[in-house]
């Protein structure tokens, strides 16, 4: 909490080059890129970082093979290159994974047609991944016995990438990088309104934890509020070329269905791609694609039934999945960038997920629409160029602002871990060796964790039963990760609440100690808040818009 309090004190005291409103993937990458190249940046979010769309994805980093059918080849080419760049830049986090796609009778194309498409897809991606293969039904069954091949006429295997951890953690690491570069960031700070005076934006904001209001001054204002971009633009008096339409998607987390480390892909009853995705000890299945009018959504019984029905039709499971098998549900909206006439002229399921940046040069205002995890590095670079065009000095334009530490640093860490036999301390139920996980999640900061474990081996103990998270990781989160509510840690800094049922978390004897480490004197208050499942109301009336 100390990091957040320090930053809250700094926000009204300075005039920043740029204020970024919204800490999802677009805002996080923009802040990291700008501050990494030397700009003075502030970042606020009305809730926790990655607290909306960016924590409800399929955890896939892919080139958009679905856009091949709609002819968006330029977008596919761009996303494939972005995917490749992320794999190279984050080899521990973004990893190639095989997709096994089944084509059933009645599909709109013969299976050789999409298989040919995978070859074109592979070539458009510079043949960076393993080659695709055509598979007859029997070969599908050999590769993955749980696939029901009774209606299958063929299939194919190709490669894309996925996030080994979860999406919210990946996004937070951009926020953490921005903090390391000097960004003054704070979560649970709501955007209220802004005005422009004498070449400076004055933004009124509110601490959602206390109700206190204050002003932030910046030369440039970036609206990266995800699904709430349009709402914020109305408050700022901004007119833009683009606006958002919303697609609701849900995923269900269930016990692990197969030990194979591959994504199973099908075409659901509505024609869209439907996935079975590995998630450590669990499996993630989905998604839906339902047009909605508002960013505030929840998973309905119909949504859940759609996912369960589709998966039970396509897998030969010993027992069909039921609602009682669901460990957790992910539900959010995809904000899709369209122009005023663009929402109804094209099949909604085929609307592009590409991003768009609308720039008001006269008022020094940027709005970021749409976007995908795959394209985050491009968003960061494009925002830097746009801000430079507004006259903001960027002292280090060639500075690299993203990526893992180089291989020599990683080898030094793994060498130290081997010397202290760290992997021997890995929990029996863990999905990977402890040294790999600590490096992937914390990079060079993991050296401090090794030292803490050397001094006290209790720091390597799993604290919350059924998870892989250590006491030393809670200490790290307290110091460096701006955990403000318990849900921030359980759902976004980690994936505890995705792989462990809420009932099991509540029963865990380590939950109280976790709160003690994270929140100190406020531990009881934060634990009670979590157990009641409600956020405390600040002294003022809550304002329900983006930030």
């Amino acid at each position: 909490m100390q990091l957040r309090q320090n930053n809250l004190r700094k926000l009204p005291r300075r005039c920043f080059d740029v204020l970024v409103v919204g800490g999802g993937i677009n805002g996080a990458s923009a802040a990291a890129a700008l501050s990494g190249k030397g700009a003075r940046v502030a970042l606020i979010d009305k809730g926790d970082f990655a607290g909306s769309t960016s924590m409800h994805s399929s955890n896939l980093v892919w080139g958009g093979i679905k856009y091949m059918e709609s002819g968006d080849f330029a977008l596919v080419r761009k996303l494939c290159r972005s995917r490749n760049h992320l794999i190279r830049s984050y080899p521990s986090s973004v990893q190639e994974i095989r997709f096994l796609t089944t084509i059933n009778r009645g599909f709109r194309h013969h299976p050789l047609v999409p298989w040919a498409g995978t070859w074109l897809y592979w070539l458009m991606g510079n043949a960076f991944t393993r080659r695709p293969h055509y598979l007859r039904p029997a070969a599908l069954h050999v590769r993955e016995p749980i696939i029901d091949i009774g209606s299958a006429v063929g299939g194919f295997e190709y490669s894309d990438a996925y996030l080994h951890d979860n999406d919210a953690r990946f996004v937070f690491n951009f926020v953490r990088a921005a903090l390391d570069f000097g960004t003054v960031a704070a979560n649970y700070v709501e955007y209220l309104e802004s005005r422009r005076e004498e070449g400076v934006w004055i933004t009124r904001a509110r601490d959602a934890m206390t109700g206190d209001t204050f002003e932030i001054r910046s030369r440039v204002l970036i609206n990266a509020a995800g699904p709430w971009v349009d709402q914020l633009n109305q408050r700022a008096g901004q007119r833009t070329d683009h606006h958002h339409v919303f697609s609701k998607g849900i995923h269900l987390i269930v016990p692990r269905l197969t030990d194979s480390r591959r994504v199973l892909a099908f075409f659901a009853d509505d024609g869209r791609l439907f996935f079975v995705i590995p998630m450590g000890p669990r499996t993630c299945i989905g998604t839906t694609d339902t047009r909605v009018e508002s960013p505030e959504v929840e998973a309905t019984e119909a949504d859940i039934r759609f996912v369960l029905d589709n998966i039970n039709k396509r897998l030969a499971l010993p027992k069909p999945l039921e609602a009682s098998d669901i460990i957790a549900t992910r539900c959010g909206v995809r904000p899709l960038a369209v122009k005023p006439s663009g929402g109804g002229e094209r099949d909604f399921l085929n609307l592009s997920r590409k991003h768009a940046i609308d720039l008001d040069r006269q008022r020094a205002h940027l709005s970021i629409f749409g976007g995908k995890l795959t394209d985050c590095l491009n968003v960061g670079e494009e925002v830097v160029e746009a801000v430079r065009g507004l006259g903001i000095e960027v002292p280090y334009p060639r500075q690299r602002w993203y990526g893992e530490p180089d291989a020599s640093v990683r080898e030094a860490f793994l060498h130290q871990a081997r010397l202290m036999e760290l992997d021997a301390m890995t929990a029996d139920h863990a999905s990977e060796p402890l040294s790999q996980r600590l490096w992937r999640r914390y990079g060079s900061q993991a050296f401090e964790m090794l030292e803490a474990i050397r001094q006290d081996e209790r720091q390597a103990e799993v604290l919350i039963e059924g998870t892989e998270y250590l006491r030393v990781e809670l200490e790290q989160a307290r110091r460096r990760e701006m955990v403000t509510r318990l849900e921030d840690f359980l759902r976004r800094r980690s994936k505890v609440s995705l792989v462990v049922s809420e009932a099991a978390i509540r029963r865990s004897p380590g939950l109280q100690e976790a709160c003690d480490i994270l929140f100190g004197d406020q531990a009881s208050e934060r634990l009670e808040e979590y157990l009641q499942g409600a956020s405390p109301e600040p002294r003022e009336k809550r304002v329900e818009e983006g930030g």
Side-chain angles (χ1 to χ4, degrees):
M1 296 290 282
Q2 189 62 44
L3 175 59
R4 181 175 182 272
Q5 294 305 316
N6 288 342
N7 283 356
L8 284 173
R9 285 191 289 269
K10 294 175 183 177
L11 285 171
R13 294 178 181 176
R14 304 178 182 177
C15 182
F16 297 92
D17 292 326
V18 180
L19 168 63
V20 180
V21 181
I25 187 58
N26 288 339
S29 59
L34 286 164
S35 57
K37 293 177 183 290
R40 294 169 297 179
V41 180
L43 170 67
I44 60 173
D45 193 289
K46 74 166 184 175
D48 190 26
F49 305 118
S52 182
T53 296
S54 292
M55 73 172 189
H56 294 302
S57 78
S58 298
N59 272 22
L60 300 178
V61 176
W62 61 324
I65 192 170
K66 62 171 286 183
Y67 308 131
M68 298 286 290
E69 188 172 9
S70 57
D72 285 340
F73 298 121
L75 176 61
V76 172
R77 169 71 171 159
K78 181 179 181 182
L79 290 176
C80 282
R81 294 177 68 183
S82 299
R83 175 205 63 195
N84 299 348
H85 193 25
L86 282 172
I87 292 173
R88 287 190 295 262
S89 301
Y90 296 95
S92 299
S93 300
V94 182
Q95 299 176 351
E96 179 179 346
I97 191 169
R98 296 297 270 178
F99 282 61
L100 193 60
T101 304
T102 302
I103 303 297
N104 288 330
R105 278 189 293 272
F107 184 63
R108 55 188 177 269
H109 299 297
H110 187 280
L112 289 175
V113 174
W115 172 69
T118 63
W119 274 89
L120 179 58
Y121 184 65
W122 180 68
L123 292 171
M124 292 177 73
N126 294 338
F128 183 81
T129 59
R130 293 166 57 191
R131 292 182 180 182
H133 296 289
Y134 178 77
L135 300 170
R136 298 186 183 279
L140 285 169
H141 184 71
V142 169
R143 277 175 165 76
E144 187 48 76
I146 69 168
I147 295 176
D148 185 348
I149 60 171
S151 299
V153 293
F156 49 89
E157 189 177 48
Y158 70 99
S159 286
D160 252 313
Y162 86 131
L163 296 174
H164 190 93
D165 211 311
N166 77 334
D167 45 8
R169 178 72 205 187
F170 185 70
V171 173
F172 177 76
N173 281 344
F174 281 101
V175 176
R176 183 60 256 180
L179 288 164
D180 291 340
F181 289 132
T183 290
V184 179
N187 52 3
Y188 296 99
V189 174
E190 301 182 36
Y191 172 98
L192 299 180
E193 61 184 2
S194 55
R195 65 187 187 275
R196 190 159 174 82
E197 295 181 358
E198 298 179 353
V200 173
W201 281 101
I202 300 173
T203 297
R204 193 163 71 92
R206 177 169 161 279
D207 182 347
M209 303 301 290
T210 66
D212 295 338
T213 61
F214 54 93
E215 292 183 338
I216 307 170
R217 298 167 61 85
S218 64
R219 295 172 61 193
V220 175
L221 181 61
I222 296 180
N223 181 354
W228 293 275
V229 164
D230 293 310
Q231 292 184 27
L232 266 64
N233 279 337
Q234 291 175 5
R235 289 182 170 269
Q238 285 296 129
R239 293 185 178 182
T240 56
D241 293 335
H242 292 84
H243 70 277
H244 277 145
V245 296
F246 304 115
S247 166
K248 180 176 74 168
I250 78 160
H251 297 83
L252 306 180
I253 313 301
V254 299
R256 185 160 58 192
L257 300 180
T258 173
D259 291 332
S260 65
R261 186 177 167 272
R262 59 163 62 91
V263 175
L264 308 184
F266 306 92
F267 288 92
D269 292 344
D270 65 1
R272 68 172 277 114
L273 278 169
F274 185 86
F275 300 111
V276 176
I277 305 166
M279 184 182 280
R282 308 300 183 198
T283 295
C284 176
I285 55 176
T287 180
T288 58
D289 201 342
T290 309
R291 188 162 189 167
V292 293
E293 299 302 319
S294 168
E296 285 81 21
V297 293
E298 61 182 16
T300 65
E301 289 186 13
D303 295 327
I304 293 171
R305 178 47 51 194
F306 174 87
V307 174
L308 292 176
D309 285 349
N310 271 279
I311 199 63
N312 286 328
K313 287 178 184 178
R314 289 158 177 82
L315 296 184
L317 299 173
K319 176 179 174 291
L321 285 174
E322 300 177 354
S324 58
D325 296 310
I326 300 170
I327 297 165
T329 302
R330 311 174 97 176
C331 177
V333 296
R334 308 169 188 89
L336 310 177
V338 298
K339 291 193 173 182
S341 63
E345 296 178 353
R346 188 173 178 184
D347 183 341
F348 179 69
L349 295 179
N350 286 325
L351 279 177
S352 171
R353 272 57 172 169
K354 66 184 178 182
H355 72 268
I357 298 176
D358 281 6
L359 174 62
D360 183 340
R361 293 185 180 277
Q362 184 175 359
R363 303 186 77 204
H365 186 282
L366 280 75
S367 302
I368 308 176
F369 293 89
K372 295 168 62 69
L373 288 169
T374 309
D375 216 17
C376 61
L377 301 186
N378 289 328
V379 170
E381 294 289 354
E382 290 172 27
V383 167
V384 169
E385 289 307 305
V387 168
R388 290 181 71 189
L390 295 172
I392 300 299
E393 181 183 3
V394 179
Y396 314 111
R398 298 183 181 278
Q399 182 71 27
R400 182 180 171 91
W401 54 273
Y402 56 85
E404 294 181 15
D406 65 41
S408 63
V409 180
R410 178 177 182 273
E411 184 51 43
F413 170 79
L414 294 177
H415 177 65
Q416 290 191 29
R418 285 192 294 270
L419 289 177
M420 61 186 289
E421 299 182 341
L422 180 69
D423 287 345
M425 305 178 193
T426 305
D428 292 339
H429 63 274
S431 59
E432 62 183 324
L434 189 51
S435 59
Q436 292 183 20
R437 194 170 68 81
L438 292 184
W439 173 260
R440 174 172 48 75
R441 290 177 58 83
Y442 306 103
S444 58
Q445 297 301 319
F447 284 97
E448 299 177 13
M449 305 170 87
L450 292 185
E451 183 58 29
I453 294 170
R454 287 191 194 99
Q455 294 181 20
D456 178 6
E457 287 195 359
R458 292 180 64 251
Q459 293 294 321
E461 294 175 356
V462 171
L463 198 56
I464 300 176
E465 186 178 357
T467 77
E468 300 181 31
Y469 295 90
L470 313 180
R471 185 175 280 105
V472 72
E473 293 182 84
L474 273 293
E475 296 281 0
Q476 178 85 350
R478 176 183 60 82
R479 292 194 310 272
R480 293 180 50 83
E481 298 191 353
M482 211 176 290
V483 175
T484 305
R485 290 174 170 152
L486 183 56
E487 181 71 8
D488 301 342
F489 176 77
L490 295 177
R491 176 61 178 85
R492 288 174 286 277
R493 305 302 181 273
S494 74
K495 57 182 178 185
V496 170
S497 63
L498 287 176
V499 299
V500 180
S501 70
E502 184 178 347
I505 294 172
R506 288 169 178 260
R507 291 194 305 266
S508 173
L511 190 61
Q512 178 65 60
E513 184 180 351
C515 286
D516 291 339
I517 294 171
L518 290 170
F519 304 115
D521 294 342
Q522 296 185 21
S524 296
E525 179 183 352
R526 296 280 83 88
L527 179 58
E528 185 63 22
E529 171 188 297
Y530 172 77
L531 294 177
Q532 291 183 358
S535 301
E537 295 287 326
R539 288 191 293 270
E540 294 183 26
K541 183 180 178 181
R542 290 183 63 83
V543 180
E544 296 297 340
E545 64 265 334

